[in-house]
Amino acid sequence: MTEQPSKPIPTGYDVIHAYLRTLDSSPGVYRMLDADSRVLYVGKARNLKARVSNYSRPGNHSPRITRMIRETATMMFLTTRTETEALLLEQNLIKQLKPRYNVLLRDDKSFPNILVTKDHDFPMIKKHRGAKNQKGNYYGPFAGAGAVNRTLNQLQRVFLLRNCSDSDFETRTRPCLQYQIKRCSGPCCGLISEEDYAGSVRDAEKFLQGRTKGIQETLAKQMQDASEAMEFERAAALRDRIKALTQVQSAQGINPQNTAEADVIALHTDGGQACVQVFFIRANQNWGNHDYYPRISGDEDMSEVMEAFVGQFYSNREPPRLLILSHGLDNDDLMAAALAEKAERKVEIMVPQRGEKAELVQNALRNARESLARKMSETATQARLLKGVAEAFDLEKVPQRIEVYDNSHIQGAHAVGAMVVAGPDGFDKNQYRKFNIKGDSLTPGDDFGMMKEVLTRRFQRLLKEDPERTQGTWPDLLLIDGGQGQVSAVREIMDTLGVSDIPMVGVAKGEDRDAGKEEFHRTGKPVMALRHNDPVLYFIQRMRDEVHRFAIGTHRAKRSKAIGATPLDDVPGVGATRKRALLAHFGSAKAVARANLADLKAVDGVSAKLAQTVYDYFHENG
């Protein structure tokens, strides 16, 4: 009996038109899906029936929308109470589903803040990234670590605040190098009173709030008083602090005078690509900028791209009180209402035409234009390199995602695995991954065993999260640091996981282990080399050096953390404050472990219940 061919699944205008019978005029979110149930597009509507009706008949659609309609096989709908709710839901779904026909912001970066702690008599000042769950005042966001580090450097020069950890603070018996180079006032050794240090903290927070004029007047008066009292050493120190503050203020001449808190967002497009520059203005200070390259099709208008960017950018960030945009939104009132609902306060959106704010936008636009030009030049070069990789290793297609793996350890201790990713846009640091090697049964220094664990965890997760390989997270090529033995071991691991179709290349040091004499190993093929001046060889060397750098940096961080750790870190209920109290009372973690129950109960801030917990932990665990 001959099997009848299956009928093609209907798509297009007629499919969309059929949904009109069941839709009403409620606000909500709609999803368009293709014949394989992949989400093509996510949109919001004040009136779902009216919006879907626009898609149901041929008209003045852009080429992008026309293609999307032709591919649509089914639709999904979710009604909301208000259009504002629909907007928020739309942006969350876009970030989650990454539809093909939406403008997509490819970003999961969190921005750093400066934290002034409030859980110690002598607060510290430090860089903070992530959840704001530590007690203290947070200032930010800053555009990146460089902007934070520059500001922290300024604050230490002017206000002499400590940046050491609480455990270092408690165990010091003499001032550290920071004190010697006049970056700290030495509170750990009693070289400044708690009251005077608290005054410095208040001044530093005023500085972060943009209130610098009064600080300089106060320091000048203190210097005059010290001079009249013939405390010349103290007067000289105050003079140096005033000089540092003056230098900071002169460097801030580009800062806006009439804009206290805003994000300046400028959009430039060219050749079907887009760049968005975001400048962070806080406390009348420019706290840096960051560029983004959202995925666009090329036929969207500027307001559509800007609206998509703003909605997705603030879907997981707190918006400032003012957004200054280079291009207006079609629904600026709706976006402002949605952001205000998220921030629980008023958020204003404006497109300035003149004055200081317009100058801020022009500056951001110039940066966006220049950044996009550089990006397009780099992308063209990168495309040639990826094509060269495909030709060098006889790949069936030009790789869009290359994953490079390496391990780092010292005789098996603190072992970590590292993965870096390269593609059409160069190194994609948002996709880098680190793996803490967990295999207890591994022989110390077993590189094969470590690589097996890393790849098993990596590809088991891919098989679970993206089995159809539609999200762009699967590699087109694996680069392994090693020779034929490593390649054979990796091939065996991949065969076991059922993903044997991904090509891989082992990069081994060649003769005399010199750069430029690398040998390349592939399964079932002879060893090969590239000519010494081949740009593809330099590209592979850069990828190998990058994974080395990332692996070694991850290993060092893990090792440093282990060095600073104590057994008290694992005791339930013992946080930073109680750990500090126990160490201050007994002098060391070993002394805490030997202490009897009565001595533990005598520690300030340690309850009888916690003392029993600490005692039981060390005695039950030897």
Side-chain angles (χ1 to χ4, degrees), residues 19-35:
Y19 286 99
L20 294 176
R21 293 193 298 269
T22 58
L23 288 175
D24 58 21
S25 57
S26 301
V29 172
Y30 58 93
R31 280 175 272 181
M32 293 177 158
L33 296 85
D34 66 10

Side-chain angles (χ1 to χ4, degrees), residues 585-621:
H585 186 91
F586 291 103
S588 68
K590 186 177 290 186
V592 175
R594 291 197 302 260
N596 60 42
L597 185 59
D599 289 338
L600 290 168
K601 290 180 179 178
V603 178
D604 288 339
V606 175
S607 65
K609 181 179 179 181
L610 181 60
Q612 186 69 55
T613 300
V614 175
Y615 182 83
D616 291 343
Y617 176 85
F618 285 111
H619 288 77
E620 289 176 2
N621 290 276

Side-chain angles (χ1 to χ4, degrees), residues 414-434:
H414 313 304
V416 296
M419 177 191 87
V420 304
V421 178
D425 296 325
F427 290 112
D428 188 351
K429 295 191 177 182
N430 288 334
Q431 296 293 316
Y432 286 16
R433 296 293 181 265
K434 54 188 177 183

